[in-house]
Amino acid sequence: MADGIAVTGLGLVTPAGSGVAENWDRLLTGRSCATRDTSLDGMPVDFTARVPGFDAGELLGGFASWQLERFVQLAIVASRMAIEDAGWDRDSWDGARVGVVLGNSLGGAAAFEEQYQELRDGGPGRVSPLMITKYMPNMLAGYVAIDCGATGPGLVTATACASGATAVGTARDLLRSGACDIVLAGASESALTPTVMAGLTKMGALSRSRDAPEHAARPFDAERDGFVAAEAAGVLVLERPEDARARGATVRAVVRGYGATSDAHHATAPDPQGRGIERALRDALADADVSARDIGHVNAHGTATPMNDVIEGRMLRRVLGEGPAVTSTKGVTGHALAAAGAIEAAYTVLAVQHGTVPPTGNLKNQDPRIDLDVVTGEPRRTRIEAAASTSLGFGGHNAALVVTPA
């Protein structure tokens, strides 16, 4: 196999909970996190999957609770978790050798909406001087770097729902090139605002199952009708394996391969044959120097939209055959948009580490057009020699990761 990059720390703040243990335990139940969302009362879709019990004032202090937008708050907490999990702190590393690569797509959408209303109601003088820094997506990496003292490269990747996976791949390249010794890689998204939700609803992307939100996210199910929008942050601490070994760190798993492509097909619809994501997956396999038959598990993009699941399912069967145990964790967490690829990369690491594939939430009647071994009902114990995580985004962005045991 090709040399990989060690995952030495994980931080997760998702609808499934805060911390690795809470997330993993909830995933293994297969129970959805979707609930009614009172901030969307009167909207055609009035349910989401939010991070439960997240108190920015308690976790970050009063300053951060009012100056930082929620997508940044989630990322800072996830980053602190990941750094602690890796056995680092800002006083023990050389900040100039630490990079931050985080994905985001919608920035501080809530701040923009709030300040636009202030402008409408009271004129320019009512607009906050913090409006720009709350809204700008790049502030995600900026504020995380400030918080942890990382003075190496700071980047925000914006490849829509592939952003988190793109960030992990970009971070891997920084480590391989020698530009950094440590990189915090992942993504954060919190944009469950009325305007964003109205736009996703008009696009036909969201489930309309208002009567039973907890059953709305149904990846690969014959009756699926769209995704449940979510918020989340996921951060991985990445290092070269030799560096991790030298300091006696625990390596959870290894990011062995990465592939990225563009469909060049349509603004929102994937290529009908799945050629873009297929090429990304094949490139990731080649980069990892593993064969298709080596892949024992796939954390699929699996959005529960009618089009995506069939296209992706046929692609996975074509490339990997009938062997891998497939899951879509979006049945539990909902679809966290730009953060999805990051939290799913972390879940893939945990599946490899624990030799366990979480079930796909709410899958009762698998679409017969999707000829895959999709895990449902109960988690499946199995030894995983290599796993893949696939991510697709609006604009035709595709990314695939291959993860192997430490």
Side-chain angles (χ1 to χ4, degrees):
M1 289 185 181
D3 290 338
I5 297 300
V7 181
T8 57
L10 294 177
L12 290 164
V13 183
T14 83
S18 294
V20 170
E22 280 192 24
N23 271 262
W24 189 240
D25 288 348
R26 183 59 178 262
L27 282 190
L28 296 184
T29 70
R31 290 188 295 108
S32 170
C33 300
T35 59
R36 192 78 62 202
D37 190 328
T38 57
S39 72
L40 301 174
D41 284 350
M43 299 282 289
V45 175
D46 58 0
F47 56 93
T48 60
R50 290 185 181 269
V51 175
F54 185 84
D55 186 332
E58 180 181 344
L59 293 169
L60 299 172
F63 172 82
S65 67
W66 64 265
Q67 187 174 42
L68 305 181
E69 195 64 4
R70 189 172 171 92
F71 77 109
V72 173
Q73 295 169 350
L74 298 177
I76 289 176
V77 173
S79 296
R80 289 180 179 180
M81 289 177 177
I83 292 166
E84 181 179 4
D85 186 44
W88 283 110
D89 61 63
R90 63 178 295 160
D91 296 324
S92 64
W93 62 23
D94 177 3
R97 301 295 299 164
V98 180
V100 177
V101 184
L102 299 173
N104 180 262
S105 57
L106 293 168
F112 187 88
E113 290 185 27
E114 291 165 2
Q115 294 306 308
Y116 178 70
Q117 193 60 50
E118 292 290 344
L119 177 67
R120 290 285 302 272
D121 292 345
R126 288 271 296 274
V127 174
S128 169
L130 298 176
M131 181 264 169
I132 295 299
T133 54
K134 279 192 167 188
Y135 172 67
M136 294 170 69
N138 76 290
M139 299 308 293
L140 179 64
Y143 276 122
V144 168
I146 291 168
D147 187 71
C148 69
T151 59
L155 305 170
V156 168
T157 56
T159 52
C161 300
S163 297
T166 304
V168 173
T170 302
R172 183 210 61 163
D173 291 344
L174 288 173
L175 288 162
R176 280 187 173 179
S177 71
C180 297
D181 295 328
I182 306 163
V183 182
L184 306 184
S188 182
E189 191 91 278
S190 182
L192 304 178
T193 71
T195 304
V196 170
M197 291 294 289
L200 290 171
T201 301
K202 290 289 283 186
M203 291 174 68
L206 299 180
S207 170
R208 295 295 191 102
S209 300
R210 297 178 62 189
D211 293 338
E214 68 277 13
H215 299 301
R218 293 170 284 185
F220 304 124
D221 195 274
E223 297 183 8
R224 67 192 182 279
D225 69 336
F227 65 77
V228 173
E231 63 175 2
V235 176
L236 297 77
V237 176
L238 303 179
E239 306 177 53
R240 286 180 289 273
E242 58 271 25
D243 294 341
R245 287 193 297 268
R247 69 180 185 89
T250 297
V251 177
R252 287 183 173 271
V254 174
V255 177
R256 189 79 59 179
Y258 170 62
T261 63
S262 295
D263 283 350
H265 168 70
H266 189 272
T268 58
D271 177 271
Q273 304 305 316
R275 287 171 292 201
I277 187 59
E278 176 176 346
R279 189 156 52 88
L281 179 55
R282 291 189 185 279
D283 286 351
L285 293 171
D287 184 45
D289 193 24
V290 302
S291 70
R293 65 178 176 272
D294 294 323
I295 300 295
H297 165 51
V298 178
N299 190 308
H301 190 56
T303 57
T305 52
M307 186 181 298
N308 174 89
D309 287 12
V310 171
I311 292 171
E312 184 182 16
R314 288 173 172 169
M315 180 280 298
L316 290 174
R317 177 63 188 231
R318 191 163 62 243
V319 176
L320 303 177
E322 62 183 358
V326 178
T327 193
S328 169
T329 45
K330 290 183 178 72
V332 174
T333 64
H335 187 357
L337 307 177
I343 65 174
E344 288 157 18
Y347 293 157
T348 305
V349 166
L350 293 171
V352 168
Q353 185 179 12
H354 295 296
T356 303
V357 178
T360 300
N362 291 324
L363 176 54
K364 305 300 182 186
N365 180 23
Q366 188 167 324
D367 190 326
R369 297 172 295 174
I370 301 171
D371 187 16
L372 297 171
D373 178 14
V374 182
V375 178
T376 186
E378 300 290 335
R380 184 184 300 177
R381 292 281 300 171
T382 181
R383 179 168 174 77
I384 303 170
E385 299 293 343
S389 180
T390 50
S391 299
L392 295 77
F394 287 165
H397 299 292
N398 306 291
L401 299 166
V402 171
V403 176
T404 62

